[in-house]
Structure formats: structure tokens, C-alpha cells
Amino acid sequence: MQVPTSMPESPRLRSLAGLLPAAELTNAGASDAASRLRILATVTLVAFAIIGLIAVLASFAEPRAQPAVIQGMSALALKMVLASGAMLWALRRAWPPAVLDALTAAYAIATALCMAMTEQELTPVVGVPRWGVSGIGIWIVLVPLVYPFGPRAAALVATGCASSVLVAYGLSRMNGLPALPLAQLIEWLLPLYFCAGLATAAAFSIHRYRAALDDARQQVRELGRYHLERRLGAGGMGEVWLARHRLLPRAAAIKFIRQPKKSGNQDRARLTRQFEAEAAAISRLSAVNTVTLYDFGVSDQGEWYYVMELLDGIDLQQAVERHGPLSDWRVARILAQACRSLSEAHQQGLVHRDLKPGNVMLCRLGDEIDVVKVLDFGLVQVLTSAVETDDSVQLAPGMRGLSQAVGTPGYMAPEVLLGNRAPDHRADLYALGCLAWWLLTGRLVFDDAPDLEEECVRHCSTPPPLERLATHCDPDFVELIGQLLAKAPEERPVTADALRRRLLRLACWFRQDDAVIAAWWRDLR
């Protein structure tokens, strides 16, 4: 029995029940590759910034130093800093894996060329013998080890970096520099091509190891009634797998959650009971705008897991980042659907606790589009308490540390940050106001705060700058958002259902344009 072919793959962004960001799940290794490239560019930028600073200081400390050497090293440092800075700037957006590979290859070869040109320019001055591994050789080995190129790509990049020496030599001859003896040119090239071969061999070994490990895991992992097809991604708390039911022709998303390493048996048993109680409560939710939870439990390896429907869509974080803010009538439509999910959950005593753009998806559901799905309902409390983090932030006196509060800064209600009362359904309504702000502006409510602590303080004490919405938003909608963002819970709408009814009466609600939504989905990347 096969998983329907239309489900696992799609040219559009796909998030598996919100368990990981959509881009990470569409391209399972793209996030890790981007992180590795970011580390490489950052280390290179810092290293050459230090080299440039040393060169400048040396020119003052040692007046007899050769000016050509100082100028050459300073120019190289500037080029490397600019190239690395440009790469870090480019990494601010998510790139498909093929584009990311091309960017990395261009960056690696361009920086190798910069180093080769500097070495060529300094040769007549310093007269250093070529034998030995230069900085280019170190760079050739370093790049494929840090960035996860496949064997062929690693060979091409390493060879390109080594061949940059020939390009630099040709450019230097065009600029009038004297020709090098053939023996010296060979002495310059041989160590670099040796390093290229070493880098290719290392990349091949690493690739084989990763492939064998992935194959082994895909072949041996079984979970009750589900067969795990392949791993789709990994996050800070666990892994997400595409699975198929052994008897039903249904694809699903399964997330495995790592239990805390340092907790004792009693703590683990308590957290497991809490996880199962939360999951059992969520499984009873039936609103069409709440993601469906099929199953949950503890695997033979001691990992928590839950099985959820496989969704075709994009979360609101990605939607706004990639396509810009939404119109007021569409935001009202999204919020009204989210209210259906919240209303049912609140009636059963469940509070989401982490309502944010990344936990709300716009989906295709059969022939319908722009269907809202609220994800990870109620699970955030047990997951946050179970997973160790280093994100503890000491806030101003009278406020709780973020390690004690459950939620995401920027979407947390004042009473949650202050810790002066247990959060109830009205904390979710405050987060819904922050969500509306993000959808309308592409910014957080207090995005101009200088740091996280000040942002949290403003959520507790500063009125939201509603004038930023007034120029492009229905005035009644602006007033409603202001009420959602009220500091006192009793000043917010009474229930999610009451909020939905008010949304249906807004003037902007009647400006809804299905043709605009259909065009947006056709253009969805």
C-alpha cells in the first residue's frame, strides 16, 4: 500500500503539521547547510578582520615594515570581510538547496582567488618559497568539511579553488608583473591540488557515512501501525518523519521528541504522564481549523511521539516573510478561522500558550484554499518544560525569567511575563492580537525595542502604537486589535467566539476577494 504521491512532495512550501518550519521540511538539509555556511562566513569575516587590524597596527608599530606587505594584507582582509559580509547578508533569506550550493561554490572560489592574487602580488616582494601549504590550501580543505557538499560538488569546488592560482597568475601577467619560472609555478600548484584531492576524499567519506546512516535508520525504524518512509527534517526537540499507515492509505507526519537527558526517572515519568494527558485532550478537538492528532505515545527508544495530519500549505511566518503583509480583510478572515479552533479548545479548558505565526498555517484542504490550521495546541507547556534550553533571560525586577514563562517573546501576554496569575484563554487572545499585527505589518508590536528585555517591559506597560495601523486598516479593526492588546485581561474580548462575531461585522470583512486569494496561491513559492 503506497502513500499517495500527491502528498509527500509539492512545488509549494509544505509544513508537516507545523512540526518544523515549512522551508526546513521541504528541503530537509537546507536549514543545516545554511547554518554551516553562516558559520563559515562568520569565522572568515572575524579572522580576516583581525588580520586587517594587525596589518594596520603593524604599520604604526614597525615603521620599517615593507609597505607593499602591509597594503597587500590590508587589501586582502578588506576583500574577505566584504565577501563574507555579503554572504551573511544573502543568508537572511531562505534559498533552495541548489541555489545555496551555487552561492557557496561562488563564495569559496572567489575568496580563494582573492588570496591567490595577494600571494602573487607579494611574491616579488617577500620571495617566499612556494613549497608548503598556503592559506589557500587550508581554505580548500576547510570548505568541503564545513559545508555538506556531495562528492562531485566538493571535487569541483576544491579544484576551482586550486585553479584560482592560474587565474591569479594570468591576471598578474596582464597587469605587468614578471613571469614566474615554471618550477616555481609548479611548486605553487602541486600542494593546492593535493589539498583538493584530500578535500574530495574527505567529502566522499562523509557522504558515504551519512547515506549509510540514513538508509539504516529508514530501514529499521518502525512504529506500531506506521511504517516510517523517510526522515523529512530535524529540529531542536526531535525529528519529523513521513510515515504511512500499514492498513490505511493515509500519509501522516510523525514527530519524535527527545526527553530531557539530565532528568531522573521520576521526572521523566511525570513529564510522560503530562505529555500523554495533554495529547489525549488535544486528540478530542474536532474543529476543522485545529490540526488533527491521529495518535501519540512513547516509542521503544523512549522518545515521545505524536502522529498528525500531513498539511499542504505555508505557515504565517513564512507567508509574510516571503510575500509581504496581508490586507485587513484577509487578516480578519484568518483570525475568524483561528477563533473557531480557539473557541472549542477554550471551552474544554485548553489554552494554547504559544500562539504565533509559526504555529498557524494557511492550507489547501481538498478544493478549498486559505484554510487556517492551528498547530501544537497545548503541547508547548510540556515540551518547554521537558527540553533543556539556554535561552534564560533575566528580566526587570518583578518580572519572570523567560526560562520560567511558557511562550514566545513578542506574543506573550503581560500576565504571562509578570507571572502574577495563571494564564487563561485571554492570554491566547492577546497573542492573537500580536499575530494580527504581524500579518498587517510584517513586524512585531514593539519591534523598535532595543533588546528583548525592553520588548517584554513594553508589552507589560506601553500602549501599542496603533497609529501605525490607522493608515491602511479598517478603523474598527484597529480598535479591536487595541482591545486584544489590552494589558489587563478583563479589558480584552470575553471569548474567542465573541471575537469571531465582531470580526464578521467589520466593514473590511465585506471586501473579501476570492480572486485575489486564488492568485496568491497560484504564485505561492
Side-chain angles (χ1 to χ4, degrees):
M1 189 176 299
Q2 298 296 320
V3 176
T5 57
S6 62
M7 294 297 291
E9 305 292 345
S10 170
R12 298 181 176 89
L13 294 174
R14 185 184 308 279
S15 175
L16 303 184
L19 303 176
L20 286 176
E24 184 175 356
L25 290 178
T26 305
N27 307 306
S31 179
D32 177 64
S35 298
R36 290 172 176 267
L37 178 55
R38 190 175 290 108
I39 292 172
L40 179 66
T42 300
V43 171
T44 304
L45 187 150
V46 172
F48 278 91
I50 293 173
I51 290 173
L53 181 61
I54 292 174
V56 172
L57 294 177
S59 65
F60 291 102
E62 184 57 53
R64 293 175 297 177
Q66 295 178 331
V69 175
I70 298 297
Q71 293 175 4
M73 295 307 298
S74 300
L76 174 62
L78 179 60
K79 293 174 185 176
M80 299 293 282
V81 167
L82 290 176
S84 300
M87 180 56 62
L88 291 172
W89 180 84
L91 289 174
R92 293 172 61 190
R93 63 164 291 184
W95 296 98
V99 176
L100 197 62
D101 287 350
L103 285 173
T104 307
Y107 170 65
I109 295 173
T111 49
L113 179 60
C114 290
M115 288 187 278
M117 292 181 67
T118 300
E119 286 193 18
Q120 175 66 20
E121 291 169 359
L122 295 182
T123 297
V125 180
V126 298
V128 178
R130 292 293 181 189
W131 284 116
V133 179
S134 70
I136 305 172
I138 297 173
W139 179 253
I140 290 171
V141 174
L142 179 64
V143 171
L145 290 180
V146 174
Y147 187 84
F149 279 123
R152 289 185 179 180
L156 290 173
V157 172
T159 304
C161 289
S163 300
S164 66
V165 167
L166 295 175
V167 177
Y169 179 67
L171 292 174
S172 67
R173 294 287 293 124
M174 292 173 60
N175 290 331
L177 290 179
L180 290 176
L182 179 60
Q184 192 174 10
L185 186 60
I186 293 175
E187 290 172 3
W188 194 9
L189 286 169
L190 283 181
L192 299 183
Y193 281 112
F194 173 80
C195 289
L198 185 64
T200 301
F204 179 75
S205 299
I206 294 172
H207 179 78
R208 286 186 60 186
Y209 173 76
R210 286 175 176 169
L213 183 61
D214 288 344
D215 289 344
R217 296 185 74 174
Q218 290 184 34
Q219 292 172 5
V220 303
R221 294 206 69 167
E222 303 286 339
L223 185 66
R225 294 181 296 274
Y226 292 92
H227 172 69
L228 305 184
E229 292 286 327
R230 66 179 184 276
R231 192 180 75 169
L232 294 169
M237 294 185 294
E239 298 178 345
V240 179
W241 286 69
L242 174 66
R244 62 177 174 86
H245 198 280
R246 294 186 181 279
L247 301 177
L248 302 175
R250 180 177 69 189
I254 300 182
K255 181 167 186 178
F256 294 93
I257 305 167
R258 303 184 188 97
Q259 293 195 26
K261 297 179 180 179
K262 297 182 180 179
S263 60
N265 291 333
Q266 291 184 348
D267 288 337
R268 292 191 181 188
R270 174 183 59 80
L271 291 170
T272 298
R273 289 193 298 271
Q274 184 182 355
F275 166 77
E276 291 177 341
E278 294 273 3
I282 298 165
S283 67
R284 292 193 289 269
L285 299 177
S286 59
V288 68
N289 298 115
T290 302
V291 68
T292 302
L293 180 66
Y294 296 143
D295 201 356
F296 62 90
V298 182
S299 70
D300 293 338
Q301 292 76 28
E303 297 172 302
W304 300 330
Y305 70 87
Y306 50 97
V307 185
M308 306 179 82
E309 65 177 311
L310 189 67
L311 298 177
D312 179 5
I314 182 171
D315 67 57
L316 295 179
Q317 182 78 26
Q318 296 282 337
V320 173
E321 287 179 349
R322 292 170 182 254
H323 301 278
L326 306 180
S327 55
D328 54 358
W329 59 264
R330 193 175 179 196
V331 174
R333 178 173 177 160
I334 291 170
L335 263 59
Q337 293 185 72
C339 284
R340 289 199 188 99
S341 172
L342 294 174
S343 180
E344 181 196 24
H346 292 166
Q347 289 174 18
Q348 297 190 25
L350 290 173
V351 180
H352 193 290
R353 302 185 182 96
D354 194 25
L355 195 64
K356 59 184 179 181
N359 279 338
V360 181
M361 278 191 65
L362 289 177
C363 303
R364 286 182 176 272
L365 197 63
D367 294 333
E368 296 185 65
I369 55 176
D370 237 35
V371 178
V372 170
K373 288 282 188 176
V374 178
L375 317 171
D376 283 353
F377 218 116
L379 288 170
V380 66
Q381 184 175 34
V382 63
L383 300 186
T384 303
S385 62
V387 179
E388 300 169 341
T389 67
D390 295 322
D391 297 331
S392 176
V393 177
Q394 187 61 43
L395 301 180
M399 300 183 69
R400 300 172 62 179
L402 287 184
S403 61
Q404 297 174 293
V406 175
T408 300
Y411 299 89
M412 294 168 68
E415 63 269 24
V416 177
L417 290 167
L418 293 169
N420 53 14
R421 66 173 76 183
D424 60 14
H425 68 280
R426 293 169 296 186
D428 282 347
L429 297 185
Y430 185 92
L432 204 60
C434 297
L435 174 64
W437 195 288
W438 165 260
L439 294 175
L440 290 166
T441 66
R443 298 175 179 273
L444 299 176
V445 179
F446 299 107
D447 67 311
D448 56 345
D451 52 42
L452 177 59
E453 179 177 343
E454 177 60 24
E455 181 183 6
C456 294
V457 170
R458 292 187 187 183
H459 272 285
C460 295
S461 59
T462 304
L466 296 173
E467 63 277 2
R468 297 182 184 176
L469 303 179
T471 58
H472 62 282
C473 188
D474 182 338
D476 291 335
F477 197 8
V478 175
E479 180 182 356
L480 181 55
I481 292 173
Q483 293 176 16
L484 288 171
L485 297 177
K487 307 304 178 188
E490 56 272 12
E491 296 178 4
R492 299 168 201 155
V494 179
T495 64
D497 190 58
L499 171 60
R500 187 180 67 85
R501 291 196 298 270
R502 289 187 61 181
L503 289 167
L504 297 178
R505 295 195 297 269
L506 292 175
C508 66
W509 181 272
F510 300 97
R511 297 201 305 268
Q512 294 183 11
D513 190 336
D514 291 340
V516 171
I517 295 176
W520 188 90
W521 277 90
R522 285 195 299 270
D523 295 337
L524 185 61
R525 299 189 296 273

